[in-house]
Amino acid sequence: MSTQTSPIIRLVSVGKRFGDFEALVDVDLEVRPGERIVICGPSGSGKSTLIRCINRMEKHTSGTIVVNGHELTDDLRDIDAVRREIGMVFQSFNLFPHMTVLRNLTIAQRLVRKTPKAEAEAVAMHFLERVRIPEQAAKYPAQLSGGQQQRVAIARALCMKPRIMLFDEPTSALDPEMISEVLEVMVDLAGDGMTMVCVTHEMGFARSVADRVIFMDRGRLVEQADPETFFTRPQNERTALFLRQILRH
Amino acid sequence: MTGWWDDYLWAALTVAKVFVCSLVFMVVFGLSGAAAKLSSSKPAQAVANAYTVFFRGTPEILVVLLLYFGSAVTLTAVGRLFDPSIRFLDIPPFWAGTIAIALVVGAYATETFRGAFLGVSPGSIEAARALGMSGLQTFVYIRIPEMWRLALPPFGNHMLSLVKDTALISIIGLEEMLFVAKQATSTTGKPFTMYIVVGLIYLAFSTLVTGLTMALEHHANRHLRAPT
Ligand SMILES: Nc1ncnc2c1ncn2[C@@H]1O[C@H](COP(=O)(O)OP(=O)(O)O)[C@@H](O)[C@H]1O
Ligand SMILES: [Mg+2]
């Protein structure tokens, strides 16, 4: 990645408090278009909070966040403009249980983008094919396996044609045999040049796909490096300890 | 029995009308009550709490009487300000009764809807917001349908309450089935026959409503069934 390209996501000394508790402390982060970032760290270290601040599912309490040229403030138009550019995938899939897979994929296109029905359905089928489950279009989420549900969730986000995809532990809720089918879809996406910020502990994925791996602890970015350096020569003692713990599994 | 069928039929039609109208009001009261209880506004919460405490804690027949005579006394007093010759003004018993039973059952429905809204998975709400859907779109397309599925079983009971409560409105002179049965008894001297007919008609209504609820539940739970 050329360092000249201006960042698509820029966080400058961002802080987030929940009451007295500091979930994020002085976070600086720049993500360039097409860059693939993996964030890891112990539970409660603020990983979810960090990516949720990027599409303003949480409001940061200090510092500045600029996404795709829009600064995140209380201005509703800017938030909408930013959310349109960002797709988000959750640990627990969060599909709409009362809608078929197809409707899960068309509803936001139709309501938010005002896409006509036929076109929205064509887009939906295109992305269902991309995640390799076009035959499930008429089913309801509860009728699918976890891995299939997560792929539908990825397709749902892609239907909005985002420039950035945020993943919050997309495989943590899955049975081991389903993890790879979801990771394959994510690898494909990386191959297409999508800007990705992934919270995950799938270190194989991080090694093969990430441009940069970030370690978080207690609300701070403790260390960031390219995967090779990160895994073989971690600079910080806490990073090294964390890596020893998760690689033991 | 002969000679009374058309009165019963007419009365049954009145009951059906009361049921449909009170159902609409009951849903409106229930949703408003639930919205108020879930809102962050303390005054709205206080009003909704007072509403449910009062209407769940007062005998329904008393609510019907209080609403009818209370509104009549008020209307008459106001009317006399303009025309002193007025002796009695009232809201038609149909509407007074319909609103009274809708208020009572709406108080129970408030709790049902409140619980159901709280049961909607926060995950789908989040997903909708992350996809850029507005608060209103999320409410209409995600929250309401998901809430509805959870609310349906108790909601079926509320509908049955409404069916049975229509009988209370005879006390303020609405010519529904009990009213007809009473008249028929006094001319024919056959109370049991006359009242058992009323019972059977109510049973038919209740069966219909139960069937409707089951069909709605079947539809609302379609996503939980194995694919065909
Ligand atoms: N809505 C909230 N209110 C209060 N505390 C919160 C809230 N969300 C997260 N936190 C706290 O912030 C910290 C970081 O949470 P999170 O970002 O979810 O961590 P991670 O994703 O790294 O496990 C945790 O200690 C959590 O308890
Ligand atoms: Mg998390």
Side-chain angles (χ1 to χ4, degrees):
Chain A
M1 279 289 123
S2 111
T3 36
Q4 281 90 320
T5 10
S6 61
I8 189 167
I9 303 172
R10 189 159 53 89
L11 284 77
V12 183
S13 59
V14 167
K16 169 67 184 174
R17 309 179 74 100
F18 292 108
D20 283 342
F21 180 77
E22 290 190 287
L24 293 179
V25 187
D26 199 22
V27 170
D28 290 307
L29 176 67
E30 291 196 348
V31 182
R32 291 181 302 277
E35 210 182 356
R36 296 172 303 254
I37 310 268
V38 162
I39 302 177
C40 59
S43 168
S45 57
K47 307 178 298 294
S48 298
T49 306
L50 173 62
I51 65 169
R52 290 161 59 80
C53 281
I54 296 175
N55 66 348
R56 213 168 171 81
M57 301 298 287
E58 300 284 359
K59 291 182 185 180
H60 57 290
T61 42
S62 59
T64 313
I65 302 180
V66 182
V67 178
N68 208 20
H70 300 278
E71 179 171 353
L72 298 190
T73 61
D74 280 332
D75 190 338
L76 267 176
R77 277 165 311 169
D78 276 349
I79 295 166
D80 288 343
V82 161
R83 290 211 177 127
R84 275 199 293 274
E85 304 300 334
I86 302 180
M88 188 163 199
V89 175
F90 305 86
Q91 180 174 350
S92 46
F93 328 137
N94 296 357
L95 295 175
F96 307 131
H98 58 291
M99 297 181 187
T100 61
V101 165
L102 187 66
R103 189 128 198 275
N104 262 278
L105 269 61
T106 54
I107 179 110
Q109 295 186 63
R110 305 209 45 210
L111 294 175
V112 179
R113 297 244 188 245
K114 313 286 179 212
T115 313
K117 186 164 187 244
E119 191 186 328
E121 288 181 352
V123 170
M125 289 313 298
H126 170 77
F127 283 108
L128 277 182
E129 265 156 41
R130 284 284 311 273
V131 301
R132 304 183 197 110
I133 35 175
E135 72 283 358
Q136 310 289 359
K139 288 196 189 162
Y140 288 93
Q143 298 164 340
L144 305 182
S145 73
Q148 290 173 324
Q149 289 190 54
Q150 193 60 297
R151 285 187 280 153
V152 170
I154 295 172
R156 176 176 67 178
L158 292 175
C159 280
M160 300 301 280
K161 311 277 173 67
R163 296 192 59 197
I164 301 164
M165 286 286 285
L166 306 175
F167 292 84
D168 192 357
E169 305 205 34
T171 57
S172 304
L174 294 175
D175 293 336
E177 71 272 18
M178 293 172 186
I179 291 178
S180 63
E181 68 188 53
V182 170
L183 290 180
E184 277 165 27
V185 167
M186 292 171 65
V187 172
D188 271 5
L189 202 56
D192 290 351
M194 175 69 77
T195 308
M196 295 165 74
V197 180
C198 312
V199 174
T200 180
H201 291 155
E202 291 298 329
M203 291 304 142
F205 174 81
R207 271 180 201 277
S208 61
V209 170
D211 297 305
R212 222 184 331 155
V213 184
I214 295 176
F215 176 70
M216 280 187 78
D217 194 23
R218 288 177 237 162
R220 293 174 194 272
L221 303 197
V222 174
E223 179 158 0
Q224 44 180 312
D226 62 278
E228 175 61 23
T229 316
F230 186 88
F231 289 111
T232 53
R233 296 183 299 282
Q235 303 299 303
N236 190 291
E237 182 49 37
R238 276 186 280 167
T239 315
L241 183 66
F242 176 78
L243 284 176
R244 278 200 299 279
Q245 278 167 352
I246 61 165
L247 293 177
R248 208 182 301 145
H249 293 306
Chain B
M1 197 59 226
T2 43
W4 289 98
W5 281 119
D6 53 341
D7 296 86
Y8 273 110
L9 188 70
W10 196 247
L13 207 64
T14 306
V15 166
K17 279 195 242 168
V18 171
F19 171 72
V20 171
C21 296
S22 63
L23 181 61
V24 172
F25 283 113
M26 182 262 271
V27 171
V28 171
F29 295 149
L31 284 178
S32 315
K37 284 203 175 189
L38 293 171
S39 77
S40 49
S41 150
K42 288 267 180 278
Q45 289 174 10
V47 170
N49 282 332
Y51 166 62
T52 50
V53 167
F54 180 81
F55 284 98
R56 293 201 301 171
T58 310
E60 308 191 41
I61 195 155
L62 201 58
V63 173
V64 174
L65 288 168
L66 285 173
L67 198 95
Y68 176 68
F69 288 113
S71 60
V73 168
T74 316
L75 269 183
T76 307
V78 172
R80 282 206 180 125
L81 294 176
F82 299 97
D83 179 359
S85 67
I86 286 174
R87 304 190 56 193
F88 187 71
L89 278 179
D90 68 353
I91 299 182
F94 178 93
W95 289 111
T98 297
I99 293 188
I101 64 175
L103 278 170
V104 171
V105 182
Y108 291 91
T110 294
E111 298 301 342
T112 297
F113 287 142
R114 192 184 75 94
F117 272 121
L118 290 176
V120 173
S121 67
S124 9
I125 310 281
E126 273 208 324
R129 304 293 285 145
L131 285 164
M133 287 166 64
S134 70
L136 184 66
Q137 289 169 339
T138 305
F139 187 77
V140 172
Y141 291 94
I142 311 298
R143 232 184 254 269
I144 289 272
E146 282 197 43
M147 175 285 279
W148 181 232
R149 183 174 62 83
L150 299 175
L152 253 179
F155 189 78
N157 289 336
H158 299 329
M159 291 204 289
L160 284 179
S161 299
L162 281 183
V163 170
K164 292 186 282 183
D165 288 356
T166 56
L168 298 173
I169 307 180
S170 63
I171 198 167
I172 52 174
L174 184 73
E175 301 186 11
E176 46 71 82
M177 295 189 292
L178 278 185
F179 189 92
V180 169
K182 201 168 164 208
Q183 282 189 320
T185 302
S186 63
T187 31
T188 61
K190 287 189 205 153
F192 184 74
T193 316
M194 292 306 163
Y195 283 110
I196 197 79
V197 170
V198 177
L200 290 174
I201 300 177
Y202 268 114
L203 202 61
F205 269 128
S206 312
T207 309
L208 208 67
V209 169
T210 307
L212 177 73
T213 309
M214 279 164 57
L216 287 172
E217 277 185 49
H218 188 76
H219 179 72
N221 288 318
R222 63 197 180 284
H223 60 285
L224 299 178
R225 282 190 293 273
T228 45

